[in-house]
Amino acid sequence: VSYGPAYKVVLKNIATNLDIQVKFAQKIVEVFTPVYAETFDAETKWTKGGHMESIEVAGGVLNAVSTGGDPNINYPEAFGLNCDDIDVIRVKFVNNTEDTRFQIFFTNEANPGYSEAGSFRATSVVGENELVIYTAENELWTGTLANMRIDLANGAGSFVVDSISFETVTYEVVK
């Protein structure tokens, strides 16, 4: 009798010898390796956009206050990273608004201006977030990354951005 994939199988009242065959599946885990990680220091190049009232870097985080619709932070200078080397964009932040819409816009040779086609969408939560955006979901993510805009939410309130990192993903078999 095959039990298929199972965590646990219990055999009761065994009255004879049995041959039991067990096959263990390999467990594959994702291994994330940073290509570039944004450290928020006094020299940060991130700027405010939309209805972002203010941004300030202190203590290794970016603090931002929004007055309403379409607040965003921008990296207006060229990143110069190779998009083909980046499998994941990871953003750790605290959302202190009532809105949970999140979007990253990017520019590169294939997408020279901010556009819906050149973006990634996700849903955050009110409170602490660690969003992992898989870049393979967008065919325009190729070539050299130029600029980036991050819409942390779409409402009034505040944000604390702990980190923004660009990472590769490899897969390893764990015994």
Side-chain angles (χ1 to χ4, degrees):
V1 174
S2 173
Y3 288 93
Y7 171 73
K8 180 178 178 181
V9 175
V10 177
L11 303 173
K12 295 182 179 183
N13 301 324
I14 299 172
T16 184
N17 289 338
L18 296 173
D19 284 330
I20 299 174
Q21 293 183 354
V22 179
K23 293 182 182 179
F24 294 95
Q26 293 179 333
K27 181 178 180 181
I28 298 175
V29 296
E30 292 179 310
V31 177
F32 298 91
T33 305
V35 173
Y36 172 82
E38 178 62 40
T39 55
F40 294 108
D41 57 28
E43 301 299 318
T44 189
K45 294 181 180 172
W46 289 90
T47 62
K48 65 181 181 168
H51 289 98
M52 194 65 78
E53 181 178 304
S54 65
I55 64 171
E56 175 187 76
V57 172
V61 299
L62 183 139
N63 297 290
V65 177
S66 165
T67 59
D70 208 21
N72 55 74
I73 59 173
N74 299 279
Y75 199 94
E77 296 189 22
F79 270 100
L81 300 173
N82 183 346
C83 293
D84 300 322
D85 293 340
I86 300 167
D87 302 313
V88 163
I89 303 169
R90 183 185 309 265
V91 183
K92 293 181 184 179
F93 69 104
V94 177
N95 177 4
N96 293 314
T97 74
E98 294 301 318
D99 191 85
T100 58
R101 291 172 282 184
F102 177 92
Q103 192 167 8
I104 295 176
F105 294 90
F106 62 88
T107 65
N108 57 18
E109 296 91 343
N111 184 57
Y114 291 135
S115 68
E116 290 295 321
S119 74
F120 302 100
R121 290 181 178 268
T123 301
S124 68
V125 297
V126 175
E128 292 187 25
N129 289 270
E130 182 173 355
L131 298 182
V132 177
I133 309 296
Y134 287 85
T135 59
E137 297 173 5
N138 191 309
E139 64 186 23
L140 295 177
W141 185 261
T142 184
T144 303
L145 176 61
N147 312 98
M148 183 167 282
R149 169 183 147 182
I150 301 177
D151 295 12
L152 297 163
N154 197 19
S158 65
F159 309 93
V160 178
V161 183
D162 294 314
S163 64
I164 301 168
S165 63
F166 301 87
E167 305 170 359
T168 61
V169 178
T170 55
Y171 298 92
E172 292 183 1
V173 175
V174 177
K175 294 182 180 184

